[in-house]
Amino acid sequence: MFEAHTEKIESSPLFTRDLYLTSLFFLDHLQFIYCSTQHHTLTTFVVEGKEVSILEENQEIFQKQEIPLEPLDLSKVQINLDNVLTFVTTLLQEKYHKNNISQKILSLHQEHIPYWNVTLILTDLCIFNVKVNAITQEVISEKMQHAMDFKST
């Protein structure tokens, strides 16, 4: 599914051996996020055709306590990006009778199991967030919230 991209990244001269894949992120294009074992920072790679580039390097990891990020095991992922997006969009339509999606944000992480975190921003400023098991397609959590409900802290 994403292995061809990670192979390009990991065979690129930009890649260093202290990095391991921790997550994928999709907004306008697919990004591969690697963690450094030496510096506990993140490096974001993008693959366009045959070219590999670094989008951001040495990004700080926002954690209250520094703990290692779990490696993302792509071999366990059974639900691809298109399928999870279709699943979550259908859930939105069936449960909330909405389909006015303005923006889609998807990420793939691993905490014991790989899971998709899908956020759909609707034209009425509602935000639908669903976490989906990337192996079984089971909903882990789901939340619908209006943007005006977010409080600044």
Side-chain angles (χ1 to χ4, degrees):
M1 190 177 322
F2 302 108
E3 287 84 355
H5 285 52
T6 57
E7 286 174 15
K8 284 181 187 176
I9 291 167
E10 294 172 12
S11 63
S12 163
L14 300 173
F15 185 79
T16 59
R17 295 292 159 211
D18 74 315
L19 298 174
Y20 64 94
L21 182 66
T22 60
S23 58
L24 304 181
F25 180 78
F26 181 85
L27 182 59
D28 297 321
H29 56 279
L30 190 58
Q31 301 172 23
F32 296 80
I33 303 167
Y34 285 77
C35 184
S36 167
T37 56
Q38 292 180 340
H39 307 291
H40 198 66
T41 58
L42 300 175
T43 300
T44 303
F45 291 89
V46 177
V47 178
E48 295 180 46
K50 294 182 180 182
E51 297 298 315
V52 172
S53 59
I54 293 177
L55 191 62
E56 293 188 58
E57 198 169 15
N58 297 320
Q59 298 167 275
E60 179 184 348
I61 300 173
F62 297 105
Q63 295 176 315
K64 290 181 181 179
Q65 179 181 342
E66 187 175 307
I67 55 172
L69 298 178
E70 198 168 323
L72 176 58
D73 186 352
L74 291 177
S75 69
K76 292 183 177 180
V77 175
Q78 300 297 311
I79 312 301
N80 69 28
L81 188 140
D82 292 331
N83 289 346
V84 76
L85 187 55
T86 299
F87 174 74
V88 171
T89 302
T90 302
L91 182 65
L92 173 70
Q93 292 169 349
E94 289 176 355
K95 191 163 185 178
Y96 298 99
H97 308 289
K98 295 182 179 230
N99 62 359
N100 52 337
I101 299 167
S102 172
Q103 186 70 265
K104 303 167 191 165
I105 304 167
L106 293 91
S107 56
L108 180 62
H109 306 270
Q110 183 150 339
E111 288 179 21
H112 310 293
I113 58 158
Y115 68 92
W116 287 100
N117 187 349
V118 181
T119 302
L120 303 178
I121 302 171
L122 310 179
T123 56
D124 63 359
L125 296 181
C126 285
I127 299 170
F128 185 52
N129 179 260
V130 183
K131 291 182 182 171
V132 179
N133 183 315
I135 301 169
T136 66
Q137 197 168 287
E138 178 183 347
V139 173
I140 298 168
S141 69
E142 155 196 346
K143 186 175 189 178
M144 174 70 83
Q145 190 170 3
H146 195 278
M148 299 305 284
D149 293 339
F150 286 97
K151 296 181 181 178
S152 60
T153 54

